[in-house]
């Protein structure tokens, strides 16, 4: 049992409130997942820069790391630090060199996500503690997704926390369990998709990345997943400009959505949505089984 939430803003006037709204939604899901929590926020981006979300041990010297990256990054990269995570910005053409340098010289640093707009933060602990540590309530953006984890099939570690990201500006949170993730993991690795953990949810993220690399839209990739992914699942997925939801054909995992002229919101339970503005007049519905829901900004 886990809790997942998502918020996709249609109204630019709400962008300054994205973090505070998402933090409230995430913390309400604590009893569904007290082991660890995480979130992805799509904020301001620069087409000439790639953000790398990095995770390391508490107290890690990210400023020193940035200085050490000056050669592969082609200059001192900008860095922002929040708790155990740092976000550095480099030119797109330098990303490969920076990743190679980190892998060779700094194995203690994990790259948990990359993209022009996406930043990912996750940690072991209660959702309220995780949200406070990373300052979620102060973040602004157009959309975001979050997860509270109750570990059932793998250890309680930060590496096992959601969201999982296997492609640029792509991430996924998952409530459920995939039965064919080991076979899919082998296939994806052969196709060049990096899978870093034994978590089935990372395989789901990698599957969508693989399909999209083949030219599928997010909606088409989710459709294909209905055929290729075995098990029980509810997914909430983020891309640079989009937000998608999919439940398996049986739909045994709870899910509720709300839509207004200002936003689309998702929660594992309705109580995650009750503090959203205008919720009393929102269209509230349960997403249908085996049905792709997808919204995208122009």
């Amino acid at each position: 049992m886990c809790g997942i939430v998502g918020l996709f803003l249609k109204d630019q006037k709400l962008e300054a409130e994205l973090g505070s709204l998402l933090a409230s939604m995430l913390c309400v899901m604590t009893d569904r997942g007290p082991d660890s929590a995480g979130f992805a926020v799509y904020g301001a981006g620069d087409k000439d820069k790639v953000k790398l979300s990095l995770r390391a041990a508490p107290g890690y010297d990210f400023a020193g790391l940035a200085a050490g990256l000056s050669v592969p990054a082609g200059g001192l990269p900008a860095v922002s630090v929040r708790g155990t995570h740092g976000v550095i910005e480099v030119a797109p053409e330098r990303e490969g060199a920076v990743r190679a340098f980190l892998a060779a010289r700094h194995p203690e640093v994990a790259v948990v996500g990359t993209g022009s707009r996406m930043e990912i933060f996750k940690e072991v602990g209660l959702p309220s503690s995780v949200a406070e540590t990373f300052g979620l309530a102060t973040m602004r953006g157009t959309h975001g997704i979050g997860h509270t984890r109750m570990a059932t099939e793998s250890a309680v570690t930060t590496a096992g926390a959601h969201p999982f990201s296997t492609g640029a500006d792509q991430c996924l949170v998952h409530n459920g369990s995939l039965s064919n993730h080991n076979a899919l993991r082998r296939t994806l690795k052969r196709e060049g998709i990096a899978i870093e953990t034994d978590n089935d949810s990372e395989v789901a993220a990698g599957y969508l990345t693989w399909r999209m690399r083949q030219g599928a839209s997010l909606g088409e990739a989710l459709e294909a997943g209905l055929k290729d992914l075995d098990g029980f699942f509810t997914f909430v997925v983020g891309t640079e400009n989009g937000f998608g939801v999919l439940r398996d054909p049986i739909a045994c995992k709870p899910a509720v959505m709300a839509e207004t002229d200002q936003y689309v919101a998702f929660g594992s339970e309705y109580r995650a949505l009750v503090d959203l503005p205008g919720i009393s007049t929102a269209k509230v519905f349960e997403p249908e089984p085996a049905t792709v829901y997808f919204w995208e900004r122009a």
Side-chain angles (χ1 to χ4, degrees), residues 146-166:
H147 186 273
T148 67
R149 184 171 184 234
M150 183 177 288
T152 56
E153 296 188 9
S154 56
V156 179
T157 64
T158 303
H162 301 213
F164 283 103
S165 177
T166 55

Side-chain angles (χ1 to χ4, degrees), residues 49-54 60-69 75-83 85-90 109 119 121:
K49 297 291 184 181
V50 171
K51 297 181 180 183
L52 283 79
S53 297
L54 309 178
Y60 190 80
D61 182 12
F62 283 107
L65 176 67
L69 288 171
L76 181 65
V79 59
S80 61
V81 181
R82 292 177 182 263
H85 289 47
V87 177
I88 64 170
E89 297 185 34
V90 300
V109 176
E119 298 182 13
F121 303 89

